[in-house]
């Protein structure tokens, strides 16, 4: 569907903290802003993990932190920073799984859970299901591949079953908001 449950669920915390509208808008913006330092910190950690020197990793971190779109994402109720944070966390944890064969299953489960979080904020995150498992299958590390895929499949299948059960059989304009595939197929009828 167009909107997975991550952001609505997360922003519902604003209503729990402050149930009175429009006072809760300020809480919602603070909840959104929290993702900015986390995203910047994860960028720095990833740059170091990928082998960049200290100066270059600070340059990447500064470029991300000073980027207008990143800043805009921290003061608007949108899913970009949540998705990027989950994506970076997944990549960082997947690297830990690759580097630590003795504890790869635990790291792979955590990486898969972070990737599932990315999917639950933005459906494009479903493509993370292919990357790490394919690398691990190529390396014949089947347990790590499955351990990453399991939490992702749980999120993807769970959300797909829910949206399938609540599908709108209505007009093309309504279908657009509940089924990307259904909307595009409806143009061929």
């Amino acid at each position: 569907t167009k909107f997975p449950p991550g952001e609505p669920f997360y922003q519902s915390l604003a209503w729990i903290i402050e149930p009175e509208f429009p006072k809760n808008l300020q809480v919602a913006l603070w909840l959104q802003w929290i993702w900015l330092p986390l995203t910047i910190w994860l960028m720095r950690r990833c740059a170091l993990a990928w082998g960049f020197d200290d100066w270059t990793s600070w340059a990447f971190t500064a470029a991300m932190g000073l980027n207008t779109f990143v800043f805009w994402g921290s003061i608007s109720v949108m899913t970009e920073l949540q998705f990027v944070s989950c994506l970076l966390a997944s990549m960082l944890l997947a690297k830990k799984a690759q580097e630590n064969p003795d504890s790869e299953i635990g790291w792979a489960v955590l990486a898969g859970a972070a990737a599932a979080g990315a999917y639950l904020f933005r459906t494009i995150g479903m493509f993370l299901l292919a990357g790490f498992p394919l690398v691990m299958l190529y390396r014949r590390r089947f347990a790590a591949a499955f351990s990453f895929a399991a939490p992702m499949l749980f999120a993807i299948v769970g959300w797909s079953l829910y949206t399938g059960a609540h599908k709108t059989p209505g007009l093309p304009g309504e279908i657009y908001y509940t089924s990307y595939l259904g909307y595009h197929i409806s143009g061929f009828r």
Side-chain angles (χ1 to χ4, degrees):
T1 68
K2 192 164 178 75
F3 302 106
E7 184 68 13
F9 176 77
Y10 180 67
Q11 287 300 327
S12 71
L13 296 175
W15 289 87
I16 293 169
I17 294 167
E18 175 55 70
E20 191 176 322
F21 180 80
K23 288 182 182 177
N24 56 10
L25 292 178
Q26 190 173 24
V27 175
L29 288 176
W30 275 109
L31 287 171
Q32 186 67 25
W33 181 85
I34 289 169
W35 291 89
L36 179 64
L38 177 62
T39 303
I40 292 169
W41 180 79
L42 285 167
M43 182 67 233
R44 168 113 167 105
R45 300 298 313 149
C46 283
L48 290 171
W50 295 330
F52 290 102
D53 61 47
D54 196 48
W55 188 91
T56 306
S57 67
W58 276 117
F60 280 139
T61 304
M64 176 177 256
L66 298 173
N67 185 300
T68 306
F69 295 109
V70 172
F71 176 74
W72 183 252
S74 73
I75 61 169
S76 304
V77 180
M78 298 186 294
T79 60
E80 280 75 5
L81 288 182
Q82 291 90 327
F83 175 78
V84 170
S85 288
C86 290
L87 172 67
L88 291 172
S90 178
M91 293 190 315
L92 195 59
L93 293 164
K95 184 157 179 40
K96 289 271 191 194
Q98 290 176 359
E99 294 171 345
N100 299 296
D102 295 338
S103 57
E104 72 181 2
I105 292 174
W107 289 114
V109 168
L110 291 173
Y119 166 75
L120 291 173
F121 278 108
R122 297 186 71 96
T123 52
I124 192 72
M126 77 174 64
F127 295 104
L128 295 171
L129 182 58
F132 181 78
L134 286 176
V135 168
M136 295 317 258
L137 288 173
Y138 176 76
R139 294 179 178 176
R140 301 190 139 336
R141 290 163 70 180
F142 302 110
F146 177 77
S147 298
F148 180 94
M152 279 221 66
L153 286 171
F154 182 78
I156 292 169
V157 170
W159 183 239
S160 297
L161 289 173
Y162 177 85
T163 57
H166 297 87
K167 207 179 339 181
T168 302
L171 303 169
E174 294 169 336
I175 294 171
Y176 176 74
Y177 289 100
T178 58
S179 172
Y180 283 132
L181 183 60
Y183 174 74
H184 292 291
I185 290 173
S186 71
F188 292 108
R189 292 182 189 160

